[in-house]
Structures are given as structure tokens and as C-alpha cells.
Amino acid sequence: MWEKITILVIFIILRGTQMNSTLCSEDPKCRCIHLQGGLKADCSGKGLKVLPKFSQAVTQIDASYNNITNCPKLSYLRLLMYLDLSYNDIPSFHNNPFENLTMLRTLNISNNKFKLNDETFPPSVIENLQLSNNKLGIFLAKDVNGKILKNLTNLTHLDLSNNEVVSLSKNVFQSLSKVSTLDLSFNSMDHIVFKFNHMKNLKVLNVSNNRLSSLSGSTRRTLDEIANWRDFPLILDLRNNPLLCNCETKVFIKWMFQKQKKNINFMSFESYNCSTEDKRIFSFNDRKILIELDMRCGPYSELAAGILVLIILFLVLLFTRIVYRYRWKVRYFYYMTKSKFHGYKSLKNHTMYKYDAFISHADEDRDFVIKKMLPMLESKGNLKLCLHFRDFVPGYDIAENISTAINQSRYTVFVLSPEFVKSYWCMFELRMAQMESFYERAGEEMLFVVLYKVLSHPQIPLYLRELMDKKSYIEYPKDDPEEKDFWSNIHSTLNGSGDIVTSA
């Protein structure tokens, strides 16, 4: 009813104005073309810098291929249905130039320097929007809430081709439920993440000439849902995408063959091809690729892959177990090798040592070492002791200093106390000395344990308990009369002139 009234109004206006070929625009360069049911102003390629004033009877304007930089307000053109501003230099729209244009159905602003924002398109009845070749990818990617196109609820055809689109936000098309043709060709998308399951009228989805290697499961399910609910097929254009055919994309490739010419029509399906990981190219004009994928990705290959994973896992666990079991041996050889780079040499002939003994003690027992051991063994006993707070080389790793000190000392003396067994570095020194004794000195006696403070049985770690069971140790006396014999015993042992007299 309303459409008949609109056509009648147009007819009356045309008859009343007696329009001729010179009166549709104030610019004589624009040519008037009378159409059935309307009047077209053809201003294409006229070198215009400004869009001229048009007759109110104009229904179509073609102002493409000019140098126009701004679109003036066109609200006086109540009968305008078609506007082509492509191939100009329009960066954006200001002051809503299409306000009150209730008849405008097609707008073409392709090939401009156009920029988008949330207010670019106010509410309108536009059905066909051409936006190709405007480098709009960056704007659309940031539109996470779908505000740019939210007012174009009547769109049925949207062209966003050749816009350097790498990725589209999830909700960019959330308001476009009436779209039947969506053109995203000649972009750089490698995944489809935007929602389009609400586009129940979608007939053509063009994503040709992108970087798609496959379509995700969620995208395929959406396409199936749209295609299954109507009687005509959905046209999907995937031409000139670098499709992959491997075990990961096997389901996608099979899906394409299954859907073709059923409820999804792939544009020029026979021209498609995909590449394997070894750069082999397979054409879709036969089904050889399906046979190839079945051979590569069948149950036997999955079984082989599973066995390989189990073997690798077993080897990793075995290696981890071996490393853990011999971790102290590995650490010992590591630090001894590292110390060689600093000029130290392993004393394998055991004829000369830099120190008579390396004293391993907890920091809490330093007073005993300084006030008792140093005077009795070094000052009075003429022995040379290695103490970490005095003789370690500044700037070197603590572990490297420890390994070197043990290697260059005839004995290693452990001042045992509750604090000793709690100290990480004291336990490290004990382990390194055990490695030195076993691997460098062929089991030679070099470990000397002084029980400085009494330890309860649960306080002593298992490997230290085993050492004390196998090796002799001497207990620091509580009474002064016994202290002289205690120091004499230690001195004679460290000096190589006597054996340890155990007090255990």
C-alpha cells in the first residue's frame, strides 16, 4: 500500500516539475537520466570537489570517481534511494548527512579514505552498504561491543572486502540479523571468530582470498545450523585460501566433501586445493586427498603416535629417575669441571694439598671454630685450615668454592650440631665430600666428624647416620680435662700421624 503511494507521489512530482536533462542538479556537469519511476543524476568522473545541490525529484545519485572530500546534508532529498560516493576522498561523515532519508536503500562509499566510529551510521533503512577498500580492519577489530554497525538493522548486503581485516571482534555483526550477503573477501583473516549464527537469512558468505587454513568446529556448526533450516543451499566462497590437509584438518576437509552440493555450495569447489605438511598439493577435483588423510591419520597412525608418546614418557621418567638417583654425582662432576675453568687442578696423586682440612660448620657454630679450632689446630698445631668465611674466593659460586675447597684439602672436618643438619650448604658439603672420597680418592679416608652438640636419633638424616655408623667420629668433651686429649687426637689425625680415637 505504502509503496504504491510512494510511486504515485514520485510520478506527480516528476510531472509537476517537467524535469529535463539540465535541471536535476545545479552543476551542469551532472547528466540527468530519466528512469522508470525515478530520476538519476549522473555526476560520475566529472572532477567534482563538492557534491552539488540536486533537485528534490532525484532518486539516484552517482557521484563516483571524483575528488569529493565531504558529504553535505542531503535530508532534502526525500525520494533518494541510491547514492554512490565510491572512489572519492571522503574520510568520514559529519552531522548525519542522511537524516530523514527514509527511502535510501543503497549506499556505496567504497574506495575512499573512510574511517569508522560508533556514530558513523545513525539509525537508517539502508539495505545495501558497500564499504570495500577503505582499510577498515583496524576499526572493526576494536569494535568489541558491535557499536559501529548497531543501527543498520535493515542491512541485507554488506561488502567489507579488501579492508586489511586481520581479525573481527566477536560481536561486530550482532545487530545484523537480516543480512543475506556478507562479503569479507581479499582480507587477511586466518580464523573466523565473529558470531553469525543469528543471520538466519544468510545466503552468501564470501571469505575468498584470505589466509584461512581451515574452519573451526564452531564455525562449521554455525554454517550447518543456518543451512539446515531452509530449502536452498548456503553459498560459501573459500577460494584462494591456503587450506591445509593434515590430521588436524582432516575433519574439516571431509566436512567440505560431505556438504558440497547438499546444503552448502562451495563456490568453484573443483578449483580448491590444499597442501600437506611436506608441501604436497592435492586438488579437490577428485577424492585422493580423503584416501591420503585416511592413510596418514587412521587408527593405526593414532596407535603409533600413542605408543611413541608412551615410549617418550617412559624414557623421560627413566632419565629423571637416573638423574635423581645420581644427582650428587652429577652435581659433583659439574662443579669440579666448572672449577677447572678457573685454574684449579684435581689433586689425583694426593701428594700435595693446599689445606690440611676444610672445616664444614653451621654459621651458628662459628664461635667454636674461631675461638677453639683455629687457636688449637692452626696457631698451636701448625695446621692450615680452610674456612669458608676466610678462604673462599669472592665472586665465584658458593657450590664451586665448596667443591674446590674439598678437593684441595687432605681432610674435610664436619662440626656436627642440630644447626648443621638443618643447613642446606652443610648438607651439600657433606655430599660433595662423599663424592670426592669415592670418585677421586678411591675410598680414601678423608671425612672427619666432630660431634660438637648432641643430636637425638630422629634429628640425624639417614645418610648421615649411615656415615656415622661406618666412619669413626669424635665427640667434643663436656669436661675441660678431656679437652686436651680431644684436640691432640684431632691434630694427630689431620697431621697424618695417628688414627681417630673414637668416643662413640
Side-chain angles (χ1 to χ4, degrees):
M1 179 66 180
W2 285 106
E3 292 181 357
K4 292 181 179 179
I5 294 175
T6 301
I7 294 173
L8 180 59
V9 170
I10 294 171
F11 178 76
I12 293 172
I13 292 175
L14 289 176
R15 290 293 301 270
T17 54
Q18 297 292 316
M19 292 300 301
N20 57 47
S21 62
T22 61
L23 297 179
C24 64
S25 169
E26 65 180 13
D27 194 319
K29 296 179 182 178
C30 295
R31 186 168 62 96
C32 291
I33 302 175
H34 291 273
L35 304 173
Q36 184 177 2
L39 181 66
K40 178 178 180 180
D42 184 3
C43 306
S44 177
K46 305 301 182 183
L48 301 179
K49 295 184 178 180
V50 179
L51 199 65
K53 189 83 171 178
F54 295 96
S55 166
Q56 294 183 16
V58 169
T59 59
Q60 297 186 29
I61 298 175
D62 184 356
S64 59
Y65 294 94
N66 284 293
N67 301 310
I68 299 171
T69 58
N70 182 41
C71 181
K73 211 167 183 64
L74 301 174
S75 56
Y76 64 94
L77 298 174
R78 298 297 181 87
L79 303 179
L80 187 63
M81 302 176 66
Y82 176 93
L83 177 60
D84 188 350
L85 296 172
S86 61
Y87 293 93
N88 278 284
D89 297 316
I90 302 173
S92 61
F93 292 144
H94 301 286
N95 301 320
N96 189 6
F98 312 123
E99 186 178 6
N100 298 323
L101 297 185
T102 58
M103 300 293 293
L104 185 61
R105 295 294 184 268
T106 299
L107 175 61
N108 189 346
I109 46 177
S110 302
N111 294 276
N112 278 273
K113 300 175 181 178
F114 209 68
K115 298 178 181 179
L116 295 176
N117 57 53
D118 296 354
E119 300 177 356
T120 300
F121 300 111
S124 71
V125 292
I126 296 174
E127 296 177 355
N128 188 336
L129 180 60
Q130 309 285 330
L131 289 170
S132 65
N133 198 22
N134 275 302
K135 299 183 180 181
L136 301 178
I138 187 173
F139 305 106
L140 296 171
K142 294 179 180 179
D143 186 24
V144 294
N145 296 316
K147 292 183 177 181
I148 291 178
L149 303 173
K150 67 178 179 180
N151 293 319
L152 302 176
T153 55
N154 288 298
L155 272 188
T156 59
H157 185 106
L158 177 60
D159 185 357
L160 291 170
S161 61
N162 200 15
N163 268 298
E164 299 182 4
V165 175
V166 176
S167 177
L168 289 171
S169 67
K170 190 175 182 180
N171 297 315
V172 66
F173 301 134
Q174 65 177 359
S175 301
L176 310 184
S177 60
K178 295 182 180 181
V179 168
S180 62
T181 301
L182 180 58
D183 190 347
L184 295 167
S185 60
F186 292 94
N187 283 296
S188 301
M189 296 186 299
D190 55 9
H191 288 87
I192 293 178
V193 297
F194 59 86
K195 286 184 177 180
F196 63 101
N197 57 332
H198 58 293
M199 297 181 183
K200 301 302 182 183
N201 297 315
L202 188 62
K203 297 179 181 178
V204 179
L205 176 58
N206 188 351
V207 286
S208 61
N209 295 279
N210 275 271
R211 298 179 181 175
L212 298 169
S213 59
S214 66
L215 296 181
S216 66
S218 60
T219 300
R220 297 196 302 270
R221 285 190 293 272
T222 299
L223 290 168
D224 286 338
E225 290 173 5
I226 294 174
N228 288 337
W229 80 281
R230 69 265 187 100
D231 297 331
F232 54 90
L234 169 66
I235 298 175
L236 178 59
D237 195 344
L238 283 170
R239 289 176 296 174
N240 300 315
N241 277 284
L243 301 180
L244 291 179
C245 36
N246 54 34
C247 294
E248 293 181 1
T249 63
K250 174 185 175 181
V251 176
F252 163 66
I253 299 297
K254 283 193 170 185
W255 174 82
M256 291 184 68
F257 277 90
Q258 291 169 357
K259 298 298 178 180
Q260 170 62 3
K261 293 183 179 180
K262 291 183 180 179
N263 53 3
I264 296 179
N265 185 5
F266 293 92
M267 186 70 71
S268 301
F269 184 76
E270 291 76 14
S271 68
Y272 290 16
N273 57 61
C274 63
S275 60
T276 61
E277 294 170 346
D278 54 359
K279 306 302 180 183
R280 296 171 63 193
I281 306 297
F282 285 88
S283 174
F284 279 41
N285 60 6
D286 57 42
R287 304 178 70 88
K288 289 182 180 179
I289 180 57
L290 299 181
I291 300 173
E292 179 74 14
L293 289 175
D294 283 337
M295 293 177 61
R296 291 190 176 203
C297 312
Y300 292 107
S301 62
E302 293 174 1
L303 178 62
I307 293 174
L308 179 62
V309 170
L310 289 176
I311 292 174
I312 293 174
L313 182 61
F314 171 77
L315 292 176
V316 169
L317 291 175
L318 180 63
F319 176 77
T320 304
R321 183 180 178 89
I322 292 173
V323 170
Y324 180 79
R325 182 175 181 179
Y326 298 102
R327 63 191 183 280
W328 289 106
K329 180 179 179 180
V330 172
R331 296 177 77 176
Y332 171 76
F333 284 115
Y334 167 75
Y335 288 114
M336 287 306 300
T337 302
K338 190 175 181 181
S339 67
K340 291 178 182 179
F341 286 98
H342 290 140
Y344 297 117
K345 294 182 179 180
S346 179
L347 302 175
K348 292 186 177 180
N349 56 10
H350 312 307
T351 56
M352 294 182 63
Y353 291 95
K354 185 176 181 180
Y355 304 102
D356 292 297
F358 167 62
I359 309 299
S360 173
H361 64 89
D363 286 338
E364 291 81 357
D365 303 326
R366 181 182 290 200
D367 285 348
F368 170 71
V369 174
I370 294 176
K371 296 178 181 179
K372 293 288 186 178
M373 296 192 83
L374 278 177
M376 298 302 297
L377 298 178
E378 205 170 61
S379 300
K380 295 181 180 181
N382 293 321
L383 297 176
K384 189 173 183 181
L385 305 180
C386 178
L387 305 172
H388 71 266
F389 56 82
R390 183 187 69 181
D391 300 305
F392 277 10
V393 180
Y396 288 0
D397 291 344
I398 295 176
E400 185 180 350
N401 268 314
I402 291 171
S403 301
T404 303
I406 291 172
N407 182 256
Q408 296 193 343
S409 301
R410 179 179 288 106
Y411 289 94
T412 298
V413 178
F414 301 100
V415 181
L416 208 58
S417 68
E419 292 75 23
F420 181 95
V421 297
K422 294 177 183 178
S423 169
Y424 169 82
W425 288 115
C426 289
M427 293 294 101
F428 181 84
E429 290 165 350
L430 176 61
R431 288 292 197 181
M432 288 296 104
Q434 287 177 310
M435 296 298 107
E436 172 76 15
S437 173
F438 186 80
Y439 292 107
E440 289 289 325
R441 306 194 190 183
E444 177 185 325
E445 283 290 343
M446 58 164 288
L447 307 181
F448 192 97
V449 179
V450 175
L451 187 59
Y452 173 49
K453 297 176 183 177
V454 178
L455 289 167
S456 62
H457 194 268
Q459 286 181 299
I460 305 174
L462 180 61
Y463 55 87
L464 180 57
R465 198 181 306 156
E466 292 175 352
L467 175 66
M468 295 176 69
D469 290 340
K470 295 177 182 179
K471 306 284 184 182
S472 299
Y473 66 90
I474 186 169
E475 185 176 352
Y476 183 68
K478 298 179 180 178
D479 301 325
D480 290 341
E482 298 179 7
E483 192 170 348
K484 183 177 181 181
D485 293 336
F486 169 80
W487 291 114
S488 176
N489 190 6
I490 292 179
H491 181 272
S492 61
T493 300
L494 300 183
N495 196 36
S497 57
D499 297 326
I500 299 173
V501 179
T502 179
S503 57

